[in-house]
Amino acid sequence: MPESKKSPLQFSLDLALTGKGAVPQAGYAAALDKAKGALEWLRGQQGKLELLGIPSRTDDLKAAAKIAATIKDMKTVAVLGIGGSSLGGQALTVLRRQSTPMVEFHDNPDPFSWAAALTRFDLKKTHFVAISKSGGTAETLMQVLTAAEALEKAGVKSLKKHFTIVTEPHKSALADFADEIGAARLAHPTGVGGRYSVLTMVGVLPALLMGIDVKKLRAGAQSVLDETLAAKDASAAPAAAGAALHQTLAAEGKLATTILWPYADTLQVFGGWWRQLWAESLGKDGKGSTPVSVLGPVDQHSQLQLFRDGPGNALFTLVSVDTKGKGLTAPRARAKRLGLDYLAGRKMGDLVDAEARATAQTLSKNGRPVRQIHLAKVDAFEMGALMMHFMLETILMGRLMGVDPFDQPGVEEGKVLARQYLQEG
Ligand code: PA5
């Protein structure tokens, strides 16, 4: 078991609990009380809920590293998969430390983009990592079938060297394909749902191919898990407190939307991962809130107006990264000549820092609840921590709402119907 480190995430609920943007105190106290029970339930899940055991795993890394080593001389690795089988890996691309092979994610089966990609690839130097928990998702299978065909047409004799499959260890079309061509297979843990799978081989294999330190990724996740499980009460566990904050607003009918607002390009794609996690886990039984992922400062010039003065049924989570004193400097003399004294000699990171603070205050002063998360940097450890925080917050929120955060009947219905329509011709 790796030594546990402190969580790198700093939370502030000040603006959500005090001032004009505060949530009702009594409601928050009641939600925290409920969250305490949810936290106790989570503690009882150790050894049962497979997700909780993933960050401390090391036994699975050797096989993944071995496979990654066999692929490393390829020019391109195309990761095929959709939803939870892709979004986590995509969020990790910002941590990329190497660009050979170039790892690309292909999730949307757009006929034109995919055909163009297959034409663009130097197929003899392309490896396909097909990821599907069920092994039966039509989009991914369509990509696999067409990629195999393109490889054969390009004169590739052995498909085996061009595919790695990540899927559950049971019979499925994808597993059968792997067996048919003799491709390497890595197991998708059966107890971990797609949108919770980024720390398994689903995210780990692409991460290894991008030169990312997966041990640090998992260690970051473990730091948050440890902090959460060790918390004396819900207010001391940011994941539980965050769920309680959401639940306070939901109970009042004031949580139509939850908005994640990072002030860092490195967390933009992360927002897409989080959006699926929240939406698919909690949008059930007529309940749920729409996750909206925006980016600062750019969305100040796009959506802040609505967020400040619109219907006011959202919780804002602003995520900032140390930027103060970082980046390029606005040259003093020219800035002054142009009357831009406030920019003269200031770094671009000072501007971003000031804007993040300004947005938080603007929202709060206008009665909008704001939670703030700060981290010094976004590296593998921090990314793992953020991912675990939001997975736990989502699970705990499911408990508070009384919905099952682990199923996705709506997604399954869509899959069944699509297959039926294709069958009918
Ligand atoms: O999170 C989920 O369960 C879904 O979004 C799945 O990840 C998605 O539907 C893809 O399924 P699979 O991994 O079985 O191909």
Side-chain angles (χ1 to χ4, degrees), residues 150-185:
L151 285 163
E152 280 168 341
K153 281 194 177 150
V156 168
K157 295 275 175 296
S158 166
L159 287 182
K160 164 186 174 152
K161 291 194 193 128
H162 291 268
F163 279 96
T164 299
I165 307 299
V166 181
T167 193
E168 286 183 333
H170 59 64
K171 191 175 163 46
S172 69
L174 191 60
D176 287 352
F177 170 76
D179 292 347
E180 184 183 293
I181 65 166
R185 253 172 86 169

PDB file of all heavy atoms in Angstrom, residues 150-185:
ATOM      1  N   ALA A 150      -9.768  -1.588 -42.470  1.00  0.00           N
ATOM      2  CA  ALA A 150      -8.808  -0.644 -43.076  1.00  0.00           C
ATOM      3  C   ALA A 150      -7.384  -1.185 -42.959  1.00  0.00           C
ATOM      4  O   ALA A 150      -6.588  -1.078 -43.903  1.00  0.00           O
ATOM      5  CB  ALA A 150      -8.918   0.715 -42.386  1.00  0.00           C
ATOM      6  N   LEU A 151      -7.074  -1.786 -41.811  1.00  0.00           N
ATOM      7  CA  LEU A 151      -5.730  -2.357 -41.624  1.00  0.00           C
ATOM      8  C   LEU A 151      -5.491  -3.474 -42.638  1.00  0.00           C
ATOM      9  O   LEU A 151      -4.429  -3.543 -43.265  1.00  0.00           O
ATOM     10  CB  LEU A 151      -5.579  -2.914 -40.198  1.00  0.00           C
ATOM     11  CG  LEU A 151      -5.412  -1.878 -39.078  1.00  0.00           C
ATOM     12  CD1 LEU A 151      -5.682  -2.505 -37.721  1.00  0.00           C
ATOM     13  CD2 LEU A 151      -4.011  -1.273 -39.100  1.00  0.00           C
ATOM     14  N   GLU A 152      -6.472  -4.345 -42.786  1.00  0.00           N
ATOM     15  CA  GLU A 152      -6.315  -5.463 -43.734  1.00  0.00           C
ATOM     16  C   GLU A 152      -6.140  -4.950 -45.155  1.00  0.00           C
ATOM     17  O   GLU A 152      -5.300  -5.410 -45.903  1.00  0.00           O
ATOM     18  CB  GLU A 152      -7.507  -6.421 -43.621  1.00  0.00           C
ATOM     19  CG  GLU A 152      -7.346  -7.346 -42.417  1.00  0.00           C
ATOM     20  CD  GLU A 152      -8.600  -8.119 -42.065  1.00  0.00           C
ATOM     21  OE1 GLU A 152      -9.709  -7.717 -42.502  1.00  0.00           O
ATOM     22  OE2 GLU A 152      -8.466  -9.118 -41.323  1.00  0.00           O
ATOM     23  N   LYS A 153      -6.939  -3.929 -45.497  1.00  0.00           N
ATOM     24  CA  LYS A 153      -6.828  -3.354 -46.848  1.00  0.00           C
ATOM     25  C   LYS A 153      -5.467  -2.704 -47.059  1.00  0.00           C
ATOM     26  O   LYS A 153      -4.970  -2.629 -48.182  1.00  0.00           O
ATOM     27  CB  LYS A 153      -7.929  -2.321 -47.067  1.00  0.00           C
ATOM     28  CG  LYS A 153      -9.262  -2.961 -47.396  1.00  0.00           C
ATOM     29  CD  LYS A 153     -10.237  -1.946 -47.946  1.00  0.00           C
ATOM     30  CE  LYS A 153     -11.542  -2.614 -48.347  1.00  0.00           C
ATOM     31  NZ  LYS A 153     -12.677  -1.732 -48.203  1.00  0.00           N
ATOM     32  N   ALA A 154      -4.869  -2.232 -45.974  1.00  0.00           N
ATOM     33  CA  ALA A 154      -3.541  -1.590 -46.080  1.00  0.00           C
ATOM     34  C   ALA A 154      -2.420  -2.633 -46.114  1.00  0.00           C
ATOM     35  O   ALA A 154      -1.237  -2.285 -46.105  1.00  0.00           O
ATOM     36  CB  ALA A 154      -3.335  -0.633 -44.914  1.00  0.00           C
ATOM     37  N   GLY A 155      -2.815  -3.909 -46.100  1.00  0.00           N
ATOM     38  CA  GLY A 155      -1.818  -4.972 -46.224  1.00  0.00           C
ATOM     39  C   GLY A 155      -1.261  -5.467 -44.898  1.00  0.00           C
ATOM     40  O   GLY A 155      -0.260  -6.194 -44.875  1.00  0.00           O
ATOM     41  N   VAL A 156      -1.913  -5.094 -43.792  1.00  0.00           N
ATOM     42  CA  VAL A 156      -1.456  -5.585 -42.483  1.00  0.00           C
ATOM     43  C   VAL A 156      -1.843  -7.058 -42.353  1.00  0.00           C
ATOM     44  O   VAL A 156      -3.013  -7.414 -42.509  1.00  0.00           O
ATOM     45  CB  VAL A 156      -2.083  -4.730 -41.344  1.00  0.00           C
ATOM     46  CG1 VAL A 156      -1.875  -5.390 -40.000  1.00  0.00           C
ATOM     47  CG2 VAL A 156      -1.506  -3.328 -41.361  1.00  0.00           C
ATOM     48  N   LYS A 157      -0.866  -7.892 -42.103  1.00  0.00           N
ATOM     49  CA  LYS A 157      -1.126  -9.348 -42.041  1.00  0.00           C
ATOM     50  C   LYS A 157      -1.606  -9.776 -40.652  1.00  0.00           C
ATOM     51  O   LYS A 157      -2.489 -10.599 -40.523  1.00  0.00           O
ATOM     52  CB  LYS A 157       0.165 -10.134 -42.381  1.00  0.00           C
ATOM     53  CG  LYS A 157       0.642  -9.934 -43.823  1.00  0.00           C
ATOM     54  CD  LYS A 157      -0.064 -10.900 -44.779  1.00  0.00           C
ATOM     55  CE  LYS A 157       0.287 -10.676 -46.233  1.00  0.00           C
ATOM     56  NZ  LYS A 157      -0.113  -9.371 -46.804  1.00  0.00           N
ATOM     57  N   SER A 158      -0.990  -9.180 -39.622  1.00  0.00           N
ATOM     58  CA  SER A 158      -1.332  -9.611 -38.271  1.00  0.00           C
ATOM     59  C   SER A 158      -2.043  -8.470 -37.513  1.00  0.00           C
ATOM     60  O   SER A 158      -1.409  -7.524 -37.039  1.00  0.00           O
ATOM     61  CB  SER A 158      -0.054 -10.025 -37.547  1.00  0.00           C
ATOM     62  OG  SER A 158      -0.306 -10.130 -36.181  1.00  0.00           O
ATOM     63  N   LEU A 159      -3.348  -8.601 -37.377  1.00  0.00           N
ATOM     64  CA  LEU A 159      -4.126  -7.560 -36.669  1.00  0.00           C
ATOM     65  C   LEU A 159      -3.740  -7.485 -35.194  1.00  0.00           C
ATOM     66  O   LEU A 159      -3.857  -6.445 -34.559  1.00  0.00           O
ATOM     67  CB  LEU A 159      -5.616  -7.861 -36.790  1.00  0.00           C
ATOM     68  CG  LEU A 159      -6.270  -7.611 -38.152  1.00  0.00           C
ATOM     69  CD1 LEU A 159      -7.762  -7.925 -38.079  1.00  0.00           C
ATOM     70  CD2 LEU A 159      -6.079  -6.172 -38.615  1.00  0.00           C
ATOM     71  N   LYS A 160      -3.304  -8.597 -34.696  1.00  0.00           N
ATOM     72  CA  LYS A 160      -2.964  -8.738 -33.274  1.00  0.00           C
ATOM     73  C   LYS A 160      -2.047  -7.608 -32.780  1.00  0.00           C
ATOM     74  O   LYS A 160      -2.214  -7.086 -31.676  1.00  0.00           O
ATOM     75  CB  LYS A 160      -2.299 -10.104 -33.162  1.00  0.00           C
ATOM     76  CG  LYS A 160      -1.530 -10.410 -31.979  1.00  0.00           C
ATOM     77  CD  LYS A 160      -0.843 -11.759 -32.182  1.00  0.00           C
ATOM     78  CE  LYS A 160       0.065 -11.928 -30.971  1.00  0.00           C
ATOM     79  NZ  LYS A 160       0.279 -13.276 -30.633  1.00  0.00           N
ATOM     80  N   LYS A 161      -1.093  -7.231 -33.639  1.00  0.00           N
ATOM     81  CA  LYS A 161      -0.131  -6.205 -33.213  1.00  0.00           C
ATOM     82  C   LYS A 161      -0.738  -4.803 -33.226  1.00  0.00           C
ATOM     83  O   LYS A 161      -0.131  -3.848 -32.765  1.00  0.00           O
ATOM     84  CB  LYS A 161       1.059  -6.203 -34.177  1.00  0.00           C
ATOM     85  CG  LYS A 161       1.918  -7.416 -34.078  1.00  0.00           C
ATOM     86  CD  LYS A 161       3.236  -7.151 -34.811  1.00  0.00           C
ATOM     87  CE  LYS A 161       3.997  -8.442 -34.999  1.00  0.00           C
ATOM     88  NZ  LYS A 161       4.409  -8.680 -36.367  1.00  0.00           N
ATOM     89  N   HIS A 162      -1.943  -4.702 -33.779  1.00  0.00           N
ATOM     90  CA  HIS A 162      -2.535  -3.376 -33.951  1.00  0.00           C
ATOM     91  C   HIS A 162      -3.716  -3.110 -33.018  1.00  0.00           C
ATOM     92  O   HIS A 162      -4.357  -2.072 -33.129  1.00  0.00           O
ATOM     93  CB  HIS A 162      -2.960  -3.190 -35.418  1.00  0.00           C
ATOM     94  CG  HIS A 162      -1.775  -3.094 -36.335  1.00  0.00           C
ATOM     95  ND1 HIS A 162      -1.201  -1.898 -36.686  1.00  0.00           N
ATOM     96  CD2 HIS A 162      -1.031  -4.063 -36.913  1.00  0.00           C
ATOM     97  CE1 HIS A 162      -0.156  -2.128 -37.473  1.00  0.00           C
ATOM     98  NE2 HIS A 162      -0.026  -3.435 -37.623  1.00  0.00           N
ATOM     99  N   PHE A 163      -4.005  -4.061 -32.148  1.00  0.00           N
ATOM    100  CA  PHE A 163      -5.135  -3.854 -31.235  1.00  0.00           C
ATOM    101  C   PHE A 163      -4.779  -4.264 -29.806  1.00  0.00           C
ATOM    102  O   PHE A 163      -4.111  -5.291 -29.603  1.00  0.00           O
ATOM    103  CB  PHE A 163      -6.341  -4.705 -31.652  1.00  0.00           C
ATOM    104  CG  PHE A 163      -7.159  -4.097 -32.762  1.00  0.00           C
ATOM    105  CD1 PHE A 163      -6.935  -4.482 -34.079  1.00  0.00           C
ATOM    106  CD2 PHE A 163      -8.141  -3.149 -32.497  1.00  0.00           C
ATOM    107  CE1 PHE A 163      -7.686  -3.937 -35.114  1.00  0.00           C
ATOM    108  CE2 PHE A 163      -8.902  -2.599 -33.526  1.00  0.00           C
ATOM    109  CZ  PHE A 163      -8.675  -2.990 -34.841  1.00  0.00           C
ATOM    110  N   THR A 164      -5.236  -3.472 -28.862  1.00  0.00           N
ATOM    111  CA  THR A 164      -5.280  -3.891 -27.463  1.00  0.00           C
ATOM    112  C   THR A 164      -6.714  -3.654 -27.017  1.00  0.00           C
ATOM    113  O   THR A 164      -7.318  -2.623 -27.361  1.00  0.00           O
ATOM    114  CB  THR A 164      -4.323  -3.063 -26.579  1.00  0.00           C
ATOM    115  OG1 THR A 164      -2.999  -3.250 -27.058  1.00  0.00           O
ATOM    116  CG2 THR A 164      -4.401  -3.487 -25.117  1.00  0.00           C
ATOM    117  N   ILE A 165      -7.228  -4.604 -26.266  1.00  0.00           N
ATOM    118  CA  ILE A 165      -8.635  -4.514 -25.861  1.00  0.00           C
ATOM    119  C   ILE A 165      -8.726  -4.391 -24.337  1.00  0.00           C
ATOM    120  O   ILE A 165      -8.082  -5.160 -23.618  1.00  0.00           O
ATOM    121  CB  ILE A 165      -9.407  -5.797 -26.310  1.00  0.00           C
ATOM    122  CG1 ILE A 165      -9.212  -6.058 -27.819  1.00  0.00           C
ATOM    123  CG2 ILE A 165     -10.883  -5.710 -25.930  1.00  0.00           C
ATOM    124  CD1 ILE A 165      -9.709  -4.991 -28.759  1.00  0.00           C
ATOM    125  N   VAL A 166      -9.522  -3.422 -23.882  1.00  0.00           N
ATOM    126  CA  VAL A 166      -9.813  -3.306 -22.444  1.00  0.00           C
ATOM    127  C   VAL A 166     -11.305  -3.560 -22.283  1.00  0.00           C
ATOM    128  O   VAL A 166     -12.140  -2.776 -22.760  1.00  0.00           O
ATOM    129  CB  VAL A 166      -9.454  -1.905 -21.894  1.00  0.00           C
ATOM    130  CG1 VAL A 166      -9.750  -1.823 -20.389  1.00  0.00           C
ATOM    131  CG2 VAL A 166      -7.980  -1.572 -22.160  1.00  0.00           C
ATOM    132  N   THR A 167     -11.630  -4.668 -21.661  1.00  0.00           N
ATOM    133  CA  THR A 167     -13.055  -5.011 -21.487  1.00  0.00           C
ATOM    134  C   THR A 167     -13.209  -5.957 -20.304  1.00  0.00           C
ATOM    135  O   THR A 167     -12.217  -6.466 -19.775  1.00  0.00           O
ATOM    136  CB  THR A 167     -13.615  -5.641 -22.792  1.00  0.00           C
ATOM    137  OG1 THR A 167     -15.037  -5.674 -22.719  1.00  0.00           O
ATOM    138  CG2 THR A 167     -13.074  -7.037 -23.066  1.00  0.00           C
ATOM    139  N   GLU A 168     -14.442  -6.148 -19.882  1.00  0.00           N
ATOM    140  CA  GLU A 168     -14.672  -7.053 -18.748  1.00  0.00           C
ATOM    141  C   GLU A 168     -14.342  -8.494 -19.143  1.00  0.00           C
ATOM    142  O   GLU A 168     -14.520  -8.869 -20.302  1.00  0.00           O
ATOM    143  CB  GLU A 168     -16.143  -6.984 -18.305  1.00  0.00           C
ATOM    144  CG  GLU A 168     -16.459  -5.707 -17.567  1.00  0.00           C
ATOM    145  CD  GLU A 168     -17.890  -5.655 -17.071  1.00  0.00           C
ATOM    146  OE1 GLU A 168     -18.762  -6.294 -17.685  1.00  0.00           O
ATOM    147  OE2 GLU A 168     -18.137  -4.970 -16.079  1.00  0.00           O
ATOM    148  N   PRO A 169     -13.876  -9.260 -18.165  1.00  0.00           N
ATOM    149  CA  PRO A 169     -13.486 -10.638 -18.494  1.00  0.00           C
ATOM    150  C   PRO A 169     -14.692 -11.571 -18.641  1.00  0.00           C
ATOM    151  O   PRO A 169     -14.877 -12.480 -17.846  1.00  0.00           O
ATOM    152  CB  PRO A 169     -12.590 -11.032 -17.315  1.00  0.00           C
ATOM    153  CG  PRO A 169     -13.005 -10.144 -16.190  1.00  0.00           C
ATOM    154  CD  PRO A 169     -13.615  -8.907 -16.762  1.00  0.00           C
ATOM    155  N   HIS A 170     -15.521 -11.300 -19.609  1.00  0.00           N
ATOM    156  CA  HIS A 170     -16.607 -12.244 -19.916  1.00  0.00           C
ATOM    157  C   HIS A 170     -16.870 -12.194 -21.411  1.00  0.00           C
ATOM    158  O   HIS A 170     -16.331 -11.345 -22.114  1.00  0.00           O
ATOM    159  CB  HIS A 170     -17.880 -11.935 -19.115  1.00  0.00           C
ATOM    160  CG  HIS A 170     -18.422 -10.559 -19.357  1.00  0.00           C
ATOM    161  ND1 HIS A 170     -18.898 -10.134 -20.581  1.00  0.00           N
ATOM    162  CD2 HIS A 170     -18.536  -9.495 -18.530  1.00  0.00           C
ATOM    163  CE1 HIS A 170     -19.311  -8.891 -20.499  1.00  0.00           C
ATOM    164  NE2 HIS A 170     -19.084  -8.461 -19.263  1.00  0.00           N
ATOM    165  N   LYS A 171     -17.699 -13.086 -21.890  1.00  0.00           N
ATOM    166  CA  LYS A 171     -17.954 -13.160 -23.328  1.00  0.00           C
ATOM    167  C   LYS A 171     -18.685 -11.909 -23.808  1.00  0.00           C
ATOM    168  O   LYS A 171     -19.647 -11.459 -23.203  1.00  0.00           O
ATOM    169  CB  LYS A 171     -18.783 -14.419 -23.623  1.00  0.00           C
ATOM    170  CG  LYS A 171     -18.867 -14.718 -25.104  1.00  0.00           C
ATOM    171  CD  LYS A 171     -19.582 -16.035 -25.378  1.00  0.00           C
ATOM    172  CE  LYS A 171     -20.022 -16.135 -26.836  1.00  0.00           C
ATOM    173  NZ  LYS A 171     -19.024 -15.752 -27.830  1.00  0.00           N
ATOM    174  N   SER A 172     -18.179 -11.367 -24.897  1.00  0.00           N
ATOM    175  CA  SER A 172     -18.836 -10.220 -25.532  1.00  0.00           C
ATOM    176  C   SER A 172     -18.281 -10.147 -26.947  1.00  0.00           C
ATOM    177  O   SER A 172     -17.287 -10.814 -27.275  1.00  0.00           O
ATOM    178  CB  SER A 172     -18.506  -8.920 -24.784  1.00  0.00           C
ATOM    179  OG  SER A 172     -17.135  -8.595 -24.978  1.00  0.00           O
ATOM    180  N   ALA A 173     -18.892  -9.325 -27.765  1.00  0.00           N
ATOM    181  CA  ALA A 173     -18.407  -9.200 -29.152  1.00  0.00           C
ATOM    182  C   ALA A 173     -16.962  -8.699 -29.168  1.00  0.00           C
ATOM    183  O   ALA A 173     -16.138  -9.173 -29.952  1.00  0.00           O
ATOM    184  CB  ALA A 173     -19.314  -8.254 -29.923  1.00  0.00           C
ATOM    185  N   LEU A 174     -16.665  -7.758 -28.276  1.00  0.00           N
ATOM    186  CA  LEU A 174     -15.305  -7.200 -28.267  1.00  0.00           C
ATOM    187  C   LEU A 174     -14.286  -8.228 -27.760  1.00  0.00           C
ATOM    188  O   LEU A 174     -13.181  -8.357 -28.304  1.00  0.00           O
ATOM    189  CB  LEU A 174     -15.258  -5.924 -27.404  1.00  0.00           C
ATOM    190  CG  LEU A 174     -13.981  -5.106 -27.504  1.00  0.00           C
ATOM    191  CD1 LEU A 174     -13.731  -4.622 -28.935  1.00  0.00           C
ATOM    192  CD2 LEU A 174     -14.014  -3.903 -26.562  1.00  0.00           C
ATOM    193  N   ALA A 175     -14.690  -8.968 -26.735  1.00  0.00           N
ATOM    194  CA  ALA A 175     -13.802 -10.018 -26.212  1.00  0.00           C
ATOM    195  C   ALA A 175     -13.578 -11.088 -27.282  1.00  0.00           C
ATOM    196  O   ALA A 175     -12.447 -11.564 -27.469  1.00  0.00           O
ATOM    197  CB  ALA A 175     -14.409 -10.633 -24.947  1.00  0.00           C
ATOM    198  N   ASP A 176     -14.645 -11.427 -27.992  1.00  0.00           N
ATOM    199  CA  ASP A 176     -14.517 -12.428 -29.067  1.00  0.00           C
ATOM    200  C   ASP A 176     -13.570 -11.928 -30.163  1.00  0.00           C
ATOM    201  O   ASP A 176     -12.777 -12.693 -30.698  1.00  0.00           O
ATOM    202  CB  ASP A 176     -15.887 -12.741 -29.689  1.00  0.00           C
ATOM    203  CG  ASP A 176     -16.748 -13.577 -28.750  1.00  0.00           C
ATOM    204  OD1 ASP A 176     -16.221 -14.032 -27.704  1.00  0.00           O
ATOM    205  OD2 ASP A 176     -17.944 -13.764 -29.040  1.00  0.00           O
ATOM    206  N   PHE A 177     -13.682 -10.648 -30.472  1.00  0.00           N
ATOM    207  CA  PHE A 177     -12.794 -10.068 -31.487  1.00  0.00           C
ATOM    208  C   PHE A 177     -11.331 -10.183 -31.023  1.00  0.00           C
ATOM    209  O   PHE A 177     -10.451 -10.588 -31.793  1.00  0.00           O
ATOM    210  CB  PHE A 177     -13.161  -8.598 -31.734  1.00  0.00           C
ATOM    211  CG  PHE A 177     -12.174  -7.859 -32.581  1.00  0.00           C
ATOM    212  CD1 PHE A 177     -12.126  -8.053 -33.959  1.00  0.00           C
ATOM    213  CD2 PHE A 177     -11.252  -6.978 -32.005  1.00  0.00           C
ATOM    214  CE1 PHE A 177     -11.182  -7.375 -34.753  1.00  0.00           C
ATOM    215  CE2 PHE A 177     -10.320  -6.300 -32.782  1.00  0.00           C
ATOM    216  CZ  PHE A 177     -10.287  -6.500 -34.158  1.00  0.00           C
ATOM    217  N   ALA A 178     -11.105  -9.856 -29.751  1.00  0.00           N
ATOM    218  CA  ALA A 178      -9.738  -9.951 -29.209  1.00  0.00           C
ATOM    219  C   ALA A 178      -9.211 -11.371 -29.345  1.00  0.00           C
ATOM    220  O   ALA A 178      -8.074 -11.594 -29.784  1.00  0.00           O
ATOM    221  CB  ALA A 178      -9.724  -9.508 -27.750  1.00  0.00           C
ATOM    222  N   ASP A 179     -10.065 -12.337 -28.994  1.00  0.00           N
ATOM    223  CA  ASP A 179      -9.648 -13.739 -29.084  1.00  0.00           C
ATOM    224  C   ASP A 179      -9.404 -14.152 -30.533  1.00  0.00           C
ATOM    225  O   ASP A 179      -8.442 -14.857 -30.833  1.00  0.00           O
ATOM    226  CB  ASP A 179     -10.712 -14.654 -28.454  1.00  0.00           C
ATOM    227  CG  ASP A 179     -10.789 -14.448 -26.946  1.00  0.00           C
ATOM    228  OD1 ASP A 179      -9.873 -13.797 -26.388  1.00  0.00           O
ATOM    229  OD2 ASP A 179     -11.769 -14.898 -26.329  1.00  0.00           O
ATOM    230  N   GLU A 180     -10.293 -13.705 -31.402  1.00  0.00           N
ATOM    231  CA  GLU A 180     -10.188 -14.083 -32.823  1.00  0.00           C
ATOM    232  C   GLU A 180      -8.851 -13.650 -33.423  1.00  0.00           C
ATOM    233  O   GLU A 180      -8.215 -14.387 -34.161  1.00  0.00           O
ATOM    234  CB  GLU A 180     -11.349 -13.433 -33.588  1.00  0.00           C
ATOM    235  CG  GLU A 180     -11.441 -13.791 -35.058  1.00  0.00           C
ATOM    236  CD  GLU A 180     -12.590 -13.034 -35.739  1.00  0.00           C
ATOM    237  OE1 GLU A 180     -13.761 -13.302 -35.410  1.00  0.00           O
ATOM    238  OE2 GLU A 180     -12.303 -12.167 -36.590  1.00  0.00           O
ATOM    239  N   ILE A 181      -8.417 -12.436 -33.071  1.00  0.00           N
ATOM    240  CA  ILE A 181      -7.167 -11.952 -33.679  1.00  0.00           C
ATOM    241  C   ILE A 181      -5.954 -12.177 -32.760  1.00  0.00           C
ATOM    242  O   ILE A 181      -4.826 -11.892 -33.128  1.00  0.00           O
ATOM    243  CB  ILE A 181      -7.266 -10.446 -34.064  1.00  0.00           C
ATOM    244  CG1 ILE A 181      -7.436  -9.556 -32.828  1.00  0.00           C
ATOM    245  CG2 ILE A 181      -8.374 -10.206 -35.082  1.00  0.00           C
ATOM    246  CD1 ILE A 181      -7.200  -8.085 -33.108  1.00  0.00           C
ATOM    247  N   GLY A 182      -6.223 -12.642 -31.555  1.00  0.00           N
ATOM    248  CA  GLY A 182      -5.127 -12.905 -30.607  1.00  0.00           C
ATOM    249  C   GLY A 182      -4.550 -11.644 -29.984  1.00  0.00           C
ATOM    250  O   GLY A 182      -3.373 -11.612 -29.591  1.00  0.00           O
ATOM    251  N   ALA A 183      -5.379 -10.604 -29.873  1.00  0.00           N
ATOM    252  CA  ALA A 183      -4.896  -9.320 -29.317  1.00  0.00           C
ATOM    253  C   ALA A 183      -4.747  -9.380 -27.802  1.00  0.00           C
ATOM    254  O   ALA A 183      -5.406 -10.177 -27.122  1.00  0.00           O
ATOM    255  CB  ALA A 183      -5.874  -8.210 -29.682  1.00  0.00           C
ATOM    256  N   ALA A 184      -3.877  -8.525 -27.295  1.00  0.00           N
ATOM    257  CA  ALA A 184      -3.698  -8.430 -25.844  1.00  0.00           C
ATOM    258  C   ALA A 184      -4.974  -7.868 -25.227  1.00  0.00           C
ATOM    259  O   ALA A 184      -5.646  -7.024 -25.819  1.00  0.00           O
ATOM    260  CB  ALA A 184      -2.525  -7.508 -25.535  1.00  0.00           C
ATOM    261  N   ARG A 185      -5.276  -8.371 -24.025  1.00  0.00           N
ATOM    262  CA  ARG A 185      -6.491  -7.919 -23.329  1.00  0.00           C
ATOM    263  C   ARG A 185      -6.156  -7.502 -21.920  1.00  0.00           C
ATOM    264  O   ARG A 185      -5.382  -8.165 -21.240  1.00  0.00           O
ATOM    265  CB  ARG A 185      -7.463  -9.097 -23.250  1.00  0.00           C
ATOM    266  CG  ARG A 185      -8.628  -8.961 -24.184  1.00  0.00           C
ATOM    267  CD  ARG A 185      -9.407 -10.240 -24.187  1.00  0.00           C
ATOM    268  NE  ARG A 185     -10.385 -10.281 -23.104  1.00  0.00           N
ATOM    269  CZ  ARG A 185     -11.334 -11.215 -23.035  1.00  0.00           C
ATOM    270  NH1 ARG A 185     -11.420 -12.152 -23.948  1.00  0.00           N
ATOM    271  NH2 ARG A 185     -12.196 -11.197 -22.048  1.00  0.00           N
TER     272      ARG A 185
END
